[in-house]
Amino acid sequence: MITKKQLLVMSLSTGINVANIYYNQPILNTIAQDLNVNHMAVGNLPTFSQAGYGLGLLLVSPLGDKIDRKKLIIILHYCLVLTLVGLSFITNIYVLYFLSLLTGMFAVSAQVVIPMAAAMSPKEKGKTVGTIFSGLLGGILIARTFSGYVTDFFGNWHYVFAISALLVLICNYFIIKTLPNMETHFDKSYPSLIKSSIFQLKRFSLLRKNSLLIALAFGVFCSFWTTLTFKLSEEPFNYNSDVIGLFGILAITGVILAPKLGKLADRVNPIFTKFLSVIFLIVSILAIRWFEDSLFAFIFATILLDIGVQAIQISNLTQIYTLDEKAHSRINTAYMSIMFLGGAIGTFVGVLAWQKGSWNYVTLQLLIWSILALFVLLYSLKYNKRVDN
């Protein structure tokens, strides 16, 4: 059974690691000015980070079923520290692309921690996963506030990654001291492991449907947060990176609700929760489309959108971690790979929409993602009824 201390360390670990993918988002304008590049060029940095995370999910996180998860987490932490040190000095945009890709790959240790926590908590998976995921999402959201303020305080965005390298090292110390070694369940070759991870999608229809749903929802999430930086830096807001970063604190509501959503996911029909969550996404997007000059509309949308994505994620994870305990890492790999692929595509399409048609195009593509998510849920409901009959 997982202890409170272990739960705290694992939650902080996921947040500290995954935050590195999102530090660049609120400071994109600052990086663009420093490197003398345009919005499209600097807007690719989050895409590379998320693509690296997806690549790490596919190639690295399945090793959690083959290698002792504690040892794997420790190795990934050391690799991440080296990459962050590189980001602390580099000023070439193309090298930044490469290091952003590596940062995403090594930050995938968060996705080794989550199935590890689920395996350590057989009776209350929803509650445990909700708590761990609150740490992960907290890292995503606080990253924006942290990077904005650090950049503004020091007048140099490189300090963000230098401080993060130190935080990862501290986190690694507590991982070494606190977490247990884990028994492995897969003794075949590495290619067989990767093939088995992909096979989980064929094996479980629930995994396919949940993966597609979260890819669309996370595409909305990532597209919104990337383009929000550009929107808030223009008229009528004209906010600097530190103020833009404060929007991450607004979304902390979802983090606070995560454990409660986890408990709810253990008891309530997940289809109902997901339908309500997608409606939250649609309402939040309509608010910032119709009232694009209203600060209140953006505050309201930020909170509602975060709660919606959080609720979908917790419901999905609670379901898929009941499929096969011996294949937790491989199931998680299949699911999260598709999720972060959706996030990377969402980021890219969002930046492209901003370049082509500013906020009008951005909100239009956000609505399309959300409506597609609604259709996935309708299909799932129809499929379930057909199976029951």
Side-chain angles (χ1 to χ4, degrees):
M1 188 67 183
I2 193 168
T3 67
K4 290 183 178 179
K5 185 176 181 180
Q6 289 170 335
L7 193 61
L8 176 61
V9 170
M10 296 172 96
S11 298
L12 290 174
S13 172
T14 56
I16 289 170
N17 279 274
V18 82
N20 290 287
I21 309 173
Y22 300 95
Y23 283 140
N24 52 33
Q25 289 188 3
I27 57 175
L28 290 175
N29 273 336
T30 304
I31 297 174
Q33 292 168 8
D34 185 40
L35 303 184
N36 195 27
V37 296
N38 60 32
H39 278 173
M40 190 67 188
V42 79
N44 286 328
L45 286 171
T47 302
F48 275 97
S49 298
Q50 289 157 15
Y53 201 77
L55 198 60
L57 279 163
L58 180 62
L59 301 178
V60 179
S61 67
L63 289 169
D65 284 339
K66 186 175 175 63
I67 300 174
D68 177 18
R69 287 170 181 161
K70 179 180 178 179
K71 291 180 181 178
L72 181 59
I73 292 166
I74 292 168
I75 292 169
L76 289 171
H77 278 176
Y78 284 132
C79 292
L80 180 57
V81 168
L82 291 175
T83 307
L84 291 170
V85 169
L87 285 170
S88 302
F89 295 99
I90 298 300
T91 56
N92 181 281
I93 187 66
Y94 297 105
V95 180
L96 286 178
Y97 288 160
F98 177 67
L99 290 177
S100 295
L101 187 75
L102 291 182
T103 297
M105 284 188 66
F106 299 139
V108 81
S109 62
Q111 299 305 328
V112 181
V113 170
I114 293 175
M116 183 179 183
M120 291 170 65
S121 183
K123 293 184 178 180
E124 295 183 313
K125 291 187 188 295
K127 181 181 178 181
T128 299
V129 169
T131 302
I132 297 292
F133 196 76
S134 70
L136 184 146
L137 195 60
I140 293 175
L141 299 172
I142 294 173
R144 296 174 170 88
T145 305
F146 173 82
S147 65
Y149 266 90
V150 168
T151 299
D152 186 67
F153 181 81
F154 289 102
N156 190 324
W157 56 270
H158 287 97
Y159 279 91
V160 173
F161 301 102
I163 294 172
S164 181
L166 179 60
L167 290 175
V168 174
L169 274 178
I170 295 171
C171 177
N172 212 26
Y173 170 81
F174 286 103
I175 290 289
I176 293 169
K177 293 293 183 181
T178 307
L179 298 192
N181 295 102
M182 299 289 289
E183 180 184 357
T184 58
H185 300 287
F186 193 90
D187 58 3
K188 297 180 181 179
S189 66
Y190 177 73
S192 297
L193 181 69
I194 303 302
K195 184 178 179 180
S196 178
S197 299
I198 299 171
F199 176 72
Q200 303 306 315
L201 288 167
K202 181 179 180 181
R203 187 180 173 198
F204 300 111
S205 62
L206 176 64
L207 180 59
R208 293 194 298 272
K209 289 180 285 186
N210 281 5
S211 298
L212 180 57
L213 176 62
I214 195 59
L216 293 166
F218 199 59
V220 170
F221 183 86
C222 293
S223 183
F224 167 77
W225 278 103
T226 301
T227 52
L228 181 68
T229 302
F230 302 143
K231 175 65 178 174
L232 295 180
S233 64
E234 291 192 343
E235 293 285 351
F237 304 107
N238 294 319
Y239 294 149
N240 293 323
S241 59
D242 56 339
V243 179
I244 294 173
L246 285 174
F247 274 76
I249 293 179
L250 290 175
I252 209 73
T253 306
V255 177
I256 295 171
L257 288 176
K260 297 184 184 298
L261 293 172
K263 287 183 180 180
L264 189 66
D266 284 330
R267 302 171 186 171
V268 179
N269 186 335
I271 292 291
F272 170 77
T273 304
K274 293 174 191 178
F275 262 114
L276 184 62
S277 301
V278 173
I279 295 301
F280 282 2
L281 298 187
I282 293 172
V283 170
S284 65
I285 295 162
L286 288 176
I288 54 178
R289 182 176 175 83
W290 291 340
F291 306 101
E292 65 171 290
D293 294 334
S294 168
L295 177 60
F296 175 78
F298 277 89
I299 293 173
F300 168 79
T302 299
I303 295 172
L304 196 63
L305 186 142
D306 177 64
I307 292 173
V309 174
Q310 177 84 318
I312 292 171
Q313 179 73 308
I314 297 300
S315 295
N316 278 356
L317 290 176
T318 302
Q319 286 183 306
I320 67 171
Y321 286 144
T322 63
L323 295 176
D324 184 352
E325 185 172 335
K326 292 184 178 181
H328 270 171
S329 287
R330 283 165 283 161
I331 288 171
N332 188 75
T333 289
Y335 174 83
M336 291 291 182
S337 294
I338 294 175
M339 170 182 163
F340 278 91
L341 177 62
I345 295 172
T347 299
F348 176 79
V349 173
V351 173
L352 187 63
W354 176 266
Q355 288 287 108
K356 299 295 183 181
S358 196
W359 195 244
N360 182 49
Y361 276 30
V362 167
T363 53
L364 179 60
Q365 58 93 25
L366 288 175
L367 275 176
I368 292 171
W369 284 85
S370 301
I371 292 169
L372 286 174
L374 194 59
F375 279 123
V376 169
L377 280 174
L378 290 171
Y379 173 79
S380 298
L381 187 60
K382 183 179 179 180
Y383 176 84
N384 289 343
K385 287 182 178 179
R386 188 166 67 243
V387 171
D388 292 339
N389 293 331

